[in-house]
Amino acid sequence: MIAILEAKRAGLLSRQYWSRNIMSGLIVGVVALPLAMAFAIASGAKPEQGLYTAIVAGTLASLFGGSRLQITGPTGAFIVILSGITAKYGIAGLQIATLMAGVMLLIMGLARMGSVIRYIPEPVIIGFTSGIAVIIFVGQWQDFFGLAPQAAHHFHEKVLHLITALPHLELHTTLMGVFTLAVLLLSNRYLKKIPGPLVAIVAATVLQPIFSFKEVATIGSAFGGIPQALPQFALPTGINAATMLELIGPAFTIALLGAIESLLSAVVADNMAGTRHQSNQELIGQGIANIASPLFGGFAATGALARTATNIRNGGNSPLSGIVHALTLVLIVILLAPLAVNIPLAALAAILFVVAYNMSEAHRFLHMVKTAPRADVVVLLITFLLTVFSDLVIAVNIGVMLATLLFMKRMAETVSVTPLSDADLQQEYGQRAWCLPPSTLVYRLEGPLFFGAAEHLQHRLQTLRDDTDTIVLRMSRVPIMDATGMQALWNLLDTCKQHQIHLVIAEARPNIMEKLRRAGLVSQIGEQNVLSHLHSLWPSTGTTQADQA
């Protein structure tokens, strides 16, 4: 269900809710102002493109998304990916990749993949999020300390270059960054009702023209300011088949990360407000937003957790607040754009330092390292290190693969093949159970019988006594079975035939019975040797159905 239609049906668009949503939207718009510009610059784009992204994507995601509380715009998680795309393909390449990612998100939503994406394991999410935070933090040293531009591409090369360049930092730029950082931290602590980034950016912007630090880079000196105009529709230049083929990988990365972050933000919003989002519709909304954003000068956007939380804390309860947030940015661009020329880049870097720290969730990272099972810690650290030193896509793919293998290993360990004695059977079935002849063996299968556990079944039943004439498999506790598990049963049946042993299957669940019949195993075993209840083994004559056969 589209969130705005759901809000209308629930009466949340009525006048009684206007004031709270308008006020929340105004506050979120003010919070989004410095963040949108900072994320744009860090991504290799112009500051106004960050504002255009927040305006266009924020409006469309609120109109067509599946969470009525979500605020969409540029986010810190994208910086690592987008800056790499911009460096290699330019702004046009970034916009083409964003448009392609929007189409992918739209397809994901239409294919109802929203619930699947939410199953990415926690160690993988924390690992790549913390890795991104480290990269953002290090990436802002240049603007914060006023260091010379670097040509290094790999993370370790950048760190070495920055450490080597630190003794040559620009003093006024560094002091401006430290001042902004101090104002931001103090504002967050003592002026909780006023957005800290706004206080910090205003203080730095006022300070710069007063002292006229010529060495301090500003939006005016670096970008010529922000146009006092709304975004115009224009197709990204350079769209051709060759470029699009090259950008499939980067576009998929944007789509994957955008889907993960949007749905995680929506889940957090639900927990804060007691609502329930529609994951597939949210992907559709994010897809539409990312298709339109590059057509109006913007770039990739996704659900922004900090701005969404700010929206909820200030009373927002419908998509109206998200729309007002975008309109607030429109008014700021039209009325106040000329003032942006004095915003120091060091001040924006200081804001991103705090964003990176909050994104890193250092307490959760350290807590997982200390308390999680060792295998999960390995997945966490590998994902983190690959994110920092290699590539986000590689990190997520390998992290998910390792977590999947770990899950299968754990599931395989839950499978047990337990021999049941007469005492076990009589305890469970009471007077129904007669003493079985020594030639009859009863095994209880427990757990999912899939390819990771099939070998265990084969190994457990490999050694049979010479006098065995009947094997009974009790399968009431087998919830699922795949083709490899089925093959294990076929192998067991072949072994039984070679040794002239009857194979009996008892108490299999309906879904398992359907698979056994479809595979032809039931016809090979014989209907008389497929029992709905294990006590059928003890008819009045005291013989098994297999013996009667």
Side-chain angles (χ1 to χ4, degrees), residues 119-125 127-128 375-376 378-384 386-387 391-407:
Y119 294 145
I120 293 179
E122 192 76 1
V124 177
I125 293 174
F128 80 70
D376 288 318
V378 170
V379 173
L380 169 71
L381 295 178
I382 288 177
T383 305
F384 172 77
L386 286 175
T387 300
D391 179 79
L392 177 63
V393 178
I394 295 174
V396 172
N397 288 342
I398 292 181
V400 170
M401 181 184 70
L402 290 175
T404 303
L405 292 173
L406 177 62
F407 172 76

PDB file of all heavy atoms in Angstrom, residues 119-125 127-128 375-376 378-384 386-387 391-407:
ATOM      1  N   TYR A 119      16.807  -9.872   5.179  1.00  0.00           N
ATOM      2  CA  TYR A 119      17.418 -11.027   5.821  1.00  0.00           C
ATOM      3  C   TYR A 119      18.942 -10.991   5.777  1.00  0.00           C
ATOM      4  O   TYR A 119      19.583 -11.972   6.122  1.00  0.00           O
ATOM      5  CB  TYR A 119      16.920 -12.321   5.164  1.00  0.00           C
ATOM      6  CG  TYR A 119      15.447 -12.572   5.390  1.00  0.00           C
ATOM      7  CD1 TYR A 119      14.670 -13.168   4.402  1.00  0.00           C
ATOM      8  CD2 TYR A 119      14.826 -12.196   6.568  1.00  0.00           C
ATOM      9  CE1 TYR A 119      13.310 -13.401   4.591  1.00  0.00           C
ATOM     10  CE2 TYR A 119      13.480 -12.409   6.763  1.00  0.00           C
ATOM     11  CZ  TYR A 119      12.723 -13.013   5.779  1.00  0.00           C
ATOM     12  OH  TYR A 119      11.392 -13.227   5.973  1.00  0.00           O
ATOM     13  N   ILE A 120      19.537  -9.893   5.318  1.00  0.00           N
ATOM     14  CA  ILE A 120      20.996  -9.786   5.357  1.00  0.00           C
ATOM     15  C   ILE A 120      21.433  -9.785   6.813  1.00  0.00           C
ATOM     16  O   ILE A 120      20.923  -9.009   7.632  1.00  0.00           O
ATOM     17  CB  ILE A 120      21.460  -8.516   4.636  1.00  0.00           C
ATOM     18  CG1 ILE A 120      21.145  -8.637   3.138  1.00  0.00           C
ATOM     19  CG2 ILE A 120      22.955  -8.286   4.836  1.00  0.00           C
ATOM     20  CD1 ILE A 120      21.540  -7.431   2.334  1.00  0.00           C
ATOM     21  N   PRO A 121      22.386 -10.646   7.199  1.00  0.00           N
ATOM     22  CA  PRO A 121      22.740 -10.827   8.610  1.00  0.00           C
ATOM     23  C   PRO A 121      23.299  -9.560   9.257  1.00  0.00           C
ATOM     24  O   PRO A 121      23.931  -8.726   8.600  1.00  0.00           O
ATOM     25  CB  PRO A 121      23.796 -11.933   8.570  1.00  0.00           C
ATOM     26  CG  PRO A 121      23.600 -12.616   7.259  1.00  0.00           C
ATOM     27  CD  PRO A 121      23.110 -11.568   6.319  1.00  0.00           C
ATOM     28  N   GLU A 122      23.091  -9.450  10.558  1.00  0.00           N
ATOM     29  CA  GLU A 122      23.536  -8.289  11.323  1.00  0.00           C
ATOM     30  C   GLU A 122      25.050  -8.077  11.250  1.00  0.00           C
ATOM     31  O   GLU A 122      25.507  -6.937  11.098  1.00  0.00           O
ATOM     32  CB  GLU A 122      23.088  -8.435  12.779  1.00  0.00           C
ATOM     33  CG  GLU A 122      23.223  -7.178  13.605  1.00  0.00           C
ATOM     34  CD  GLU A 122      22.137  -6.150  13.311  1.00  0.00           C
ATOM     35  OE1 GLU A 122      21.262  -6.416  12.465  1.00  0.00           O
ATOM     36  OE2 GLU A 122      22.184  -5.072  13.919  1.00  0.00           O
ATOM     37  N   PRO A 123      25.887  -9.117  11.368  1.00  0.00           N
ATOM     38  CA  PRO A 123      27.337  -8.877  11.268  1.00  0.00           C
ATOM     39  C   PRO A 123      27.751  -8.248   9.941  1.00  0.00           C
ATOM     40  O   PRO A 123      28.679  -7.439   9.900  1.00  0.00           O
ATOM     41  CB  PRO A 123      27.935 -10.284  11.423  1.00  0.00           C
ATOM     42  CG  PRO A 123      26.927 -11.053  12.176  1.00  0.00           C
ATOM     43  CD  PRO A 123      25.600 -10.529  11.706  1.00  0.00           C
ATOM     44  N   VAL A 124      27.070  -8.611   8.862  1.00  0.00           N
ATOM     45  CA  VAL A 124      27.388  -8.031   7.555  1.00  0.00           C
ATOM     46  C   VAL A 124      26.999  -6.561   7.522  1.00  0.00           C
ATOM     47  O   VAL A 124      27.770  -5.701   7.074  1.00  0.00           O
ATOM     48  CB  VAL A 124      26.684  -8.806   6.430  1.00  0.00           C
ATOM     49  CG1 VAL A 124      26.958  -8.158   5.076  1.00  0.00           C
ATOM     50  CG2 VAL A 124      27.134 -10.258   6.414  1.00  0.00           C
ATOM     51  N   ILE A 125      25.805  -6.243   8.031  1.00  0.00           N
ATOM     52  CA  ILE A 125      25.329  -4.859   8.024  1.00  0.00           C
ATOM     53  C   ILE A 125      26.231  -3.970   8.872  1.00  0.00           C
ATOM     54  O   ILE A 125      26.669  -2.897   8.445  1.00  0.00           O
ATOM     55  CB  ILE A 125      23.875  -4.796   8.520  1.00  0.00           C
ATOM     56  CG1 ILE A 125      22.943  -5.484   7.523  1.00  0.00           C
ATOM     57  CG2 ILE A 125      23.439  -3.346   8.733  1.00  0.00           C
ATOM     58  CD1 ILE A 125      21.515  -5.605   7.995  1.00  0.00           C
ATOM     59  N   GLY A 127      29.280  -4.593   9.797  1.00  0.00           N
ATOM     60  CA  GLY A 127      30.624  -4.590   9.231  1.00  0.00           C
ATOM     61  C   GLY A 127      30.783  -3.576   8.119  1.00  0.00           C
ATOM     62  O   GLY A 127      31.715  -2.758   8.139  1.00  0.00           O
ATOM     63  N   PHE A 128      29.855  -3.586   7.143  1.00  0.00           N
ATOM     64  CA  PHE A 128      30.050  -2.650   6.032  1.00  0.00           C
ATOM     65  C   PHE A 128      29.667  -1.225   6.428  1.00  0.00           C
ATOM     66  O   PHE A 128      30.244  -0.256   5.935  1.00  0.00           O
ATOM     67  CB  PHE A 128      29.348  -3.120   4.751  1.00  0.00           C
ATOM     68  CG  PHE A 128      27.885  -2.861   4.647  1.00  0.00           C
ATOM     69  CD1 PHE A 128      27.370  -1.591   4.479  1.00  0.00           C
ATOM     70  CD2 PHE A 128      26.982  -3.920   4.648  1.00  0.00           C
ATOM     71  CE1 PHE A 128      26.012  -1.363   4.354  1.00  0.00           C
ATOM     72  CE2 PHE A 128      25.615  -3.705   4.524  1.00  0.00           C
ATOM     73  CZ  PHE A 128      25.133  -2.419   4.378  1.00  0.00           C
ATOM     74  N   ALA A 375      32.459 -17.282  15.054  1.00  0.00           N
ATOM     75  CA  ALA A 375      32.245 -17.299  13.598  1.00  0.00           C
ATOM     76  C   ALA A 375      31.582 -16.002  13.134  1.00  0.00           C
ATOM     77  O   ALA A 375      31.931 -15.469  12.068  1.00  0.00           O
ATOM     78  CB  ALA A 375      31.390 -18.500  13.212  1.00  0.00           C
ATOM     79  N   ASP A 376      30.637 -15.468  13.911  1.00  0.00           N
ATOM     80  CA  ASP A 376      29.989 -14.207  13.550  1.00  0.00           C
ATOM     81  C   ASP A 376      30.974 -13.045  13.630  1.00  0.00           C
ATOM     82  O   ASP A 376      30.912 -12.112  12.821  1.00  0.00           O
ATOM     83  CB  ASP A 376      28.801 -13.938  14.470  1.00  0.00           C
ATOM     84  CG  ASP A 376      27.633 -14.861  14.193  1.00  0.00           C
ATOM     85  OD1 ASP A 376      27.336 -15.090  13.015  1.00  0.00           O
ATOM     86  OD2 ASP A 376      27.026 -15.363  15.146  1.00  0.00           O
ATOM     87  N   VAL A 378      34.127 -13.282  13.008  1.00  0.00           N
ATOM     88  CA  VAL A 378      34.956 -13.407  11.797  1.00  0.00           C
ATOM     89  C   VAL A 378      34.242 -12.778  10.599  1.00  0.00           C
ATOM     90  O   VAL A 378      34.847 -12.037   9.810  1.00  0.00           O
ATOM     91  CB  VAL A 378      35.299 -14.884  11.522  1.00  0.00           C
ATOM     92  CG1 VAL A 378      35.948 -15.037  10.159  1.00  0.00           C
ATOM     93  CG2 VAL A 378      36.211 -15.425  12.609  1.00  0.00           C
ATOM     94  N   VAL A 379      32.951 -13.056  10.440  1.00  0.00           N
ATOM     95  CA  VAL A 379      32.169 -12.464   9.345  1.00  0.00           C
ATOM     96  C   VAL A 379      32.160 -10.945   9.469  1.00  0.00           C
ATOM     97  O   VAL A 379      32.336 -10.219   8.471  1.00  0.00           O
ATOM     98  CB  VAL A 379      30.732 -13.009   9.349  1.00  0.00           C
ATOM     99  CG1 VAL A 379      29.866 -12.264   8.331  1.00  0.00           C
ATOM    100  CG2 VAL A 379      30.721 -14.501   9.042  1.00  0.00           C
ATOM    101  N   LEU A 380      31.957 -10.439  10.683  1.00  0.00           N
ATOM    102  CA  LEU A 380      31.940  -9.000  10.938  1.00  0.00           C
ATOM    103  C   LEU A 380      33.266  -8.353  10.519  1.00  0.00           C
ATOM    104  O   LEU A 380      33.283  -7.354   9.777  1.00  0.00           O
ATOM    105  CB  LEU A 380      31.679  -8.753  12.421  1.00  0.00           C
ATOM    106  CG  LEU A 380      31.885  -7.322  12.932  1.00  0.00           C
ATOM    107  CD1 LEU A 380      30.784  -6.413  12.413  1.00  0.00           C
ATOM    108  CD2 LEU A 380      31.913  -7.298  14.464  1.00  0.00           C
ATOM    109  N   LEU A 381      34.379  -8.915  10.976  1.00  0.00           N
ATOM    110  CA  LEU A 381      35.688  -8.320  10.705  1.00  0.00           C
ATOM    111  C   LEU A 381      36.072  -8.425   9.231  1.00  0.00           C
ATOM    112  O   LEU A 381      36.641  -7.483   8.666  1.00  0.00           O
ATOM    113  CB  LEU A 381      36.753  -8.994  11.585  1.00  0.00           C
ATOM    114  CG  LEU A 381      36.594  -8.777  13.096  1.00  0.00           C
ATOM    115  CD1 LEU A 381      37.671  -9.541  13.857  1.00  0.00           C
ATOM    116  CD2 LEU A 381      36.655  -7.288  13.437  1.00  0.00           C
ATOM    117  N   ILE A 382      35.755  -9.557   8.602  1.00  0.00           N
ATOM    118  CA  ILE A 382      36.065  -9.705   7.176  1.00  0.00           C
ATOM    119  C   ILE A 382      35.271  -8.692   6.352  1.00  0.00           C
ATOM    120  O   ILE A 382      35.813  -8.042   5.446  1.00  0.00           O
ATOM    121  CB  ILE A 382      35.767 -11.144   6.708  1.00  0.00           C
ATOM    122  CG1 ILE A 382      36.814 -12.113   7.283  1.00  0.00           C
ATOM    123  CG2 ILE A 382      35.758 -11.226   5.182  1.00  0.00           C
ATOM    124  CD1 ILE A 382      36.556 -13.559   6.939  1.00  0.00           C
ATOM    125  N   THR A 383      33.992  -8.536   6.660  1.00  0.00           N
ATOM    126  CA  THR A 383      33.168  -7.554   5.941  1.00  0.00           C
ATOM    127  C   THR A 383      33.711  -6.145   6.149  1.00  0.00           C
ATOM    128  O   THR A 383      33.804  -5.344   5.207  1.00  0.00           O
ATOM    129  CB  THR A 383      31.708  -7.626   6.415  1.00  0.00           C
ATOM    130  OG1 THR A 383      31.224  -8.962   6.279  1.00  0.00           O
ATOM    131  CG2 THR A 383      30.831  -6.689   5.602  1.00  0.00           C
ATOM    132  N   PHE A 384      34.076  -5.832   7.377  1.00  0.00           N
ATOM    133  CA  PHE A 384      34.621  -4.509   7.707  1.00  0.00           C
ATOM    134  C   PHE A 384      35.917  -4.237   6.936  1.00  0.00           C
ATOM    135  O   PHE A 384      36.070  -3.197   6.287  1.00  0.00           O
ATOM    136  CB  PHE A 384      34.865  -4.418   9.211  1.00  0.00           C
ATOM    137  CG  PHE A 384      35.607  -3.189   9.649  1.00  0.00           C
ATOM    138  CD1 PHE A 384      34.967  -1.967   9.742  1.00  0.00           C
ATOM    139  CD2 PHE A 384      36.955  -3.250   9.958  1.00  0.00           C
ATOM    140  CE1 PHE A 384      35.660  -0.819  10.140  1.00  0.00           C
ATOM    141  CE2 PHE A 384      37.658  -2.127  10.358  1.00  0.00           C
ATOM    142  CZ  PHE A 384      36.999  -0.909  10.442  1.00  0.00           C
ATOM    143  N   LEU A 386      37.143  -5.753   4.241  1.00  0.00           N
ATOM    144  CA  LEU A 386      36.946  -5.706   2.787  1.00  0.00           C
ATOM    145  C   LEU A 386      36.297  -4.396   2.365  1.00  0.00           C
ATOM    146  O   LEU A 386      36.610  -3.850   1.303  1.00  0.00           O
ATOM    147  CB  LEU A 386      36.094  -6.889   2.329  1.00  0.00           C
ATOM    148  CG  LEU A 386      36.784  -8.253   2.322  1.00  0.00           C
ATOM    149  CD1 LEU A 386      35.795  -9.351   1.967  1.00  0.00           C
ATOM    150  CD2 LEU A 386      37.948  -8.268   1.327  1.00  0.00           C
ATOM    151  N   THR A 387      35.383  -3.879   3.184  1.00  0.00           N
ATOM    152  CA  THR A 387      34.756  -2.590   2.876  1.00  0.00           C
ATOM    153  C   THR A 387      35.799  -1.482   2.847  1.00  0.00           C
ATOM    154  O   THR A 387      35.817  -0.635   1.948  1.00  0.00           O
ATOM    155  CB  THR A 387      33.669  -2.256   3.908  1.00  0.00           C
ATOM    156  OG1 THR A 387      32.664  -3.268   3.893  1.00  0.00           O
ATOM    157  CG2 THR A 387      33.024  -0.915   3.602  1.00  0.00           C
ATOM    158  N   ASP A 391      36.336  -3.256  -1.606  1.00  0.00           N
ATOM    159  CA  ASP A 391      35.183  -2.718  -2.313  1.00  0.00           C
ATOM    160  C   ASP A 391      33.924  -3.125  -1.568  1.00  0.00           C
ATOM    161  O   ASP A 391      33.837  -4.227  -1.033  1.00  0.00           O
ATOM    162  CB  ASP A 391      35.147  -3.271  -3.749  1.00  0.00           C
ATOM    163  CG  ASP A 391      33.953  -2.765  -4.527  1.00  0.00           C
ATOM    164  OD1 ASP A 391      34.001  -1.624  -4.990  1.00  0.00           O
ATOM    165  OD2 ASP A 391      32.964  -3.517  -4.641  1.00  0.00           O
ATOM    166  N   LEU A 392      32.943  -2.228  -1.547  1.00  0.00           N
ATOM    167  CA  LEU A 392      31.714  -2.493  -0.797  1.00  0.00           C
ATOM    168  C   LEU A 392      30.956  -3.690  -1.346  1.00  0.00           C
ATOM    169  O   LEU A 392      30.452  -4.524  -0.591  1.00  0.00           O
ATOM    170  CB  LEU A 392      30.818  -1.259  -0.817  1.00  0.00           C
ATOM    171  CG  LEU A 392      29.470  -1.399  -0.127  1.00  0.00           C
ATOM    172  CD1 LEU A 392      29.660  -1.658   1.361  1.00  0.00           C
ATOM    173  CD2 LEU A 392      28.619  -0.171  -0.328  1.00  0.00           C
ATOM    174  N   VAL A 393      30.866  -3.797  -2.670  1.00  0.00           N
ATOM    175  CA  VAL A 393      30.128  -4.911  -3.268  1.00  0.00           C
ATOM    176  C   VAL A 393      30.792  -6.232  -2.915  1.00  0.00           C
ATOM    177  O   VAL A 393      30.132  -7.197  -2.518  1.00  0.00           O
ATOM    178  CB  VAL A 393      30.052  -4.747  -4.799  1.00  0.00           C
ATOM    179  CG1 VAL A 393      29.325  -5.919  -5.418  1.00  0.00           C
ATOM    180  CG2 VAL A 393      29.344  -3.463  -5.155  1.00  0.00           C
ATOM    181  N   ILE A 394      32.114  -6.275  -3.049  1.00  0.00           N
ATOM    182  CA  ILE A 394      32.843  -7.490  -2.678  1.00  0.00           C
ATOM    183  C   ILE A 394      32.621  -7.805  -1.212  1.00  0.00           C
ATOM    184  O   ILE A 394      32.399  -8.960  -0.829  1.00  0.00           O
ATOM    185  CB  ILE A 394      34.349  -7.318  -2.986  1.00  0.00           C
ATOM    186  CG1 ILE A 394      34.563  -7.185  -4.496  1.00  0.00           C
ATOM    187  CG2 ILE A 394      35.151  -8.489  -2.434  1.00  0.00           C
ATOM    188  CD1 ILE A 394      35.993  -6.870  -4.880  1.00  0.00           C
ATOM    189  N   ALA A 395      32.667  -6.770  -0.377  1.00  0.00           N
ATOM    190  CA  ALA A 395      32.499  -6.968   1.065  1.00  0.00           C
ATOM    191  C   ALA A 395      31.133  -7.560   1.390  1.00  0.00           C
ATOM    192  O   ALA A 395      31.023  -8.530   2.155  1.00  0.00           O
ATOM    193  CB  ALA A 395      32.685  -5.646   1.798  1.00  0.00           C
ATOM    194  N   VAL A 396      30.069  -6.985   0.814  1.00  0.00           N
ATOM    195  CA  VAL A 396      28.719  -7.469   1.098  1.00  0.00           C
ATOM    196  C   VAL A 396      28.528  -8.878   0.542  1.00  0.00           C
ATOM    197  O   VAL A 396      27.971  -9.753   1.213  1.00  0.00           O
ATOM    198  CB  VAL A 396      27.669  -6.501   0.510  1.00  0.00           C
ATOM    199  CG1 VAL A 396      26.274  -7.090   0.634  1.00  0.00           C
ATOM    200  CG2 VAL A 396      27.734  -5.161   1.212  1.00  0.00           C
ATOM    201  N   ASN A 397      29.001  -9.109  -0.691  1.00  0.00           N
ATOM    202  CA  ASN A 397      28.839 -10.440  -1.291  1.00  0.00           C
ATOM    203  C   ASN A 397      29.547 -11.514  -0.480  1.00  0.00           C
ATOM    204  O   ASN A 397      28.975 -12.566  -0.176  1.00  0.00           O
ATOM    205  CB  ASN A 397      29.363 -10.428  -2.726  1.00  0.00           C
ATOM    206  CG  ASN A 397      28.462  -9.666  -3.678  1.00  0.00           C
ATOM    207  OD1 ASN A 397      27.291  -9.425  -3.370  1.00  0.00           O
ATOM    208  ND2 ASN A 397      28.987  -9.278  -4.823  1.00  0.00           N
ATOM    209  N   ILE A 398      30.794 -11.256  -0.128  1.00  0.00           N
ATOM    210  CA  ILE A 398      31.551 -12.250   0.638  1.00  0.00           C
ATOM    211  C   ILE A 398      30.979 -12.383   2.045  1.00  0.00           C
ATOM    212  O   ILE A 398      30.879 -13.487   2.587  1.00  0.00           O
ATOM    213  CB  ILE A 398      33.044 -11.874   0.678  1.00  0.00           C
ATOM    214  CG1 ILE A 398      33.646 -12.013  -0.722  1.00  0.00           C
ATOM    215  CG2 ILE A 398      33.804 -12.731   1.678  1.00  0.00           C
ATOM    216  CD1 ILE A 398      35.110 -11.684  -0.810  1.00  0.00           C
ATOM    217  N   GLY A 399      30.590 -11.258   2.637  1.00  0.00           N
ATOM    218  CA  GLY A 399      30.002 -11.318   3.974  1.00  0.00           C
ATOM    219  C   GLY A 399      28.733 -12.156   4.003  1.00  0.00           C
ATOM    220  O   GLY A 399      28.552 -13.006   4.878  1.00  0.00           O
ATOM    221  N   VAL A 400      27.840 -11.914   3.024  1.00  0.00           N
ATOM    222  CA  VAL A 400      26.595 -12.694   2.955  1.00  0.00           C
ATOM    223  C   VAL A 400      26.900 -14.157   2.669  1.00  0.00           C
ATOM    224  O   VAL A 400      26.278 -15.063   3.245  1.00  0.00           O
ATOM    225  CB  VAL A 400      25.660 -12.105   1.869  1.00  0.00           C
ATOM    226  CG1 VAL A 400      24.480 -13.030   1.620  1.00  0.00           C
ATOM    227  CG2 VAL A 400      25.158 -10.730   2.298  1.00  0.00           C
ATOM    228  N   MET A 401      27.869 -14.411   1.771  1.00  0.00           N
ATOM    229  CA  MET A 401      28.231 -15.793   1.448  1.00  0.00           C
ATOM    230  C   MET A 401      28.757 -16.520   2.685  1.00  0.00           C
ATOM    231  O   MET A 401      28.352 -17.654   2.976  1.00  0.00           O
ATOM    232  CB  MET A 401      29.284 -15.816   0.343  1.00  0.00           C
ATOM    233  CG  MET A 401      29.707 -17.222  -0.077  1.00  0.00           C
ATOM    234  SD  MET A 401      31.031 -17.193  -1.294  1.00  0.00           S
ATOM    235  CE  MET A 401      32.387 -16.602  -0.267  1.00  0.00           C
ATOM    236  N   LEU A 402      29.653 -15.866   3.434  1.00  0.00           N
ATOM    237  CA  LEU A 402      30.202 -16.489   4.643  1.00  0.00           C
ATOM    238  C   LEU A 402      29.104 -16.713   5.685  1.00  0.00           C
ATOM    239  O   LEU A 402      29.059 -17.769   6.336  1.00  0.00           O
ATOM    240  CB  LEU A 402      31.307 -15.614   5.232  1.00  0.00           C
ATOM    241  CG  LEU A 402      32.607 -15.531   4.425  1.00  0.00           C
ATOM    242  CD1 LEU A 402      33.568 -14.539   5.073  1.00  0.00           C
ATOM    243  CD2 LEU A 402      33.263 -16.912   4.334  1.00  0.00           C
ATOM    244  N   ALA A 403      28.226 -15.717   5.835  1.00  0.00           N
ATOM    245  CA  ALA A 403      27.138 -15.860   6.808  1.00  0.00           C
ATOM    246  C   ALA A 403      26.189 -16.982   6.398  1.00  0.00           C
ATOM    247  O   ALA A 403      25.681 -17.722   7.254  1.00  0.00           O
ATOM    248  CB  ALA A 403      26.370 -14.540   6.930  1.00  0.00           C
ATOM    249  N   THR A 404      25.956 -17.125   5.088  1.00  0.00           N
ATOM    250  CA  THR A 404      25.091 -18.200   4.602  1.00  0.00           C
ATOM    251  C   THR A 404      25.709 -19.565   4.864  1.00  0.00           C
ATOM    252  O   THR A 404      25.036 -20.497   5.325  1.00  0.00           O
ATOM    253  CB  THR A 404      24.819 -18.031   3.098  1.00  0.00           C
ATOM    254  OG1 THR A 404      24.227 -16.746   2.873  1.00  0.00           O
ATOM    255  CG2 THR A 404      23.880 -19.112   2.585  1.00  0.00           C
ATOM    256  N   LEU A 405      27.003 -19.686   4.573  1.00  0.00           N
ATOM    257  CA  LEU A 405      27.701 -20.954   4.834  1.00  0.00           C
ATOM    258  C   LEU A 405      27.694 -21.273   6.328  1.00  0.00           C
ATOM    259  O   LEU A 405      27.517 -22.430   6.727  1.00  0.00           O
ATOM    260  CB  LEU A 405      29.134 -20.877   4.314  1.00  0.00           C
ATOM    261  CG  LEU A 405      29.300 -20.814   2.786  1.00  0.00           C
ATOM    262  CD1 LEU A 405      30.756 -20.578   2.425  1.00  0.00           C
ATOM    263  CD2 LEU A 405      28.776 -22.087   2.141  1.00  0.00           C
ATOM    264  N   LEU A 406      27.875 -20.251   7.135  1.00  0.00           N
ATOM    265  CA  LEU A 406      27.843 -20.446   8.588  1.00  0.00           C
ATOM    266  C   LEU A 406      26.465 -20.908   9.038  1.00  0.00           C
ATOM    267  O   LEU A 406      26.338 -21.817   9.877  1.00  0.00           O
ATOM    268  CB  LEU A 406      28.212 -19.130   9.277  1.00  0.00           C
ATOM    269  CG  LEU A 406      28.160 -19.110  10.802  1.00  0.00           C
ATOM    270  CD1 LEU A 406      29.144 -20.112  11.386  1.00  0.00           C
ATOM    271  CD2 LEU A 406      28.468 -17.703  11.315  1.00  0.00           C
ATOM    272  N   PHE A 407      25.427 -20.299   8.459  1.00  0.00           N
ATOM    273  CA  PHE A 407      24.063 -20.698   8.805  1.00  0.00           C
ATOM    274  C   PHE A 407      23.800 -22.149   8.411  1.00  0.00           C
ATOM    275  O   PHE A 407      23.219 -22.927   9.173  1.00  0.00           O
ATOM    276  CB  PHE A 407      23.069 -19.773   8.102  1.00  0.00           C
ATOM    277  CG  PHE A 407      21.632 -20.208   8.228  1.00  0.00           C
ATOM    278  CD1 PHE A 407      20.930 -20.018   9.401  1.00  0.00           C
ATOM    279  CD2 PHE A 407      20.983 -20.824   7.160  1.00  0.00           C
ATOM    280  CE1 PHE A 407      19.621 -20.434   9.516  1.00  0.00           C
ATOM    281  CE2 PHE A 407      19.672 -21.239   7.274  1.00  0.00           C
ATOM    282  CZ  PHE A 407      18.985 -21.030   8.455  1.00  0.00           C
TER     283      PHE A 407
END
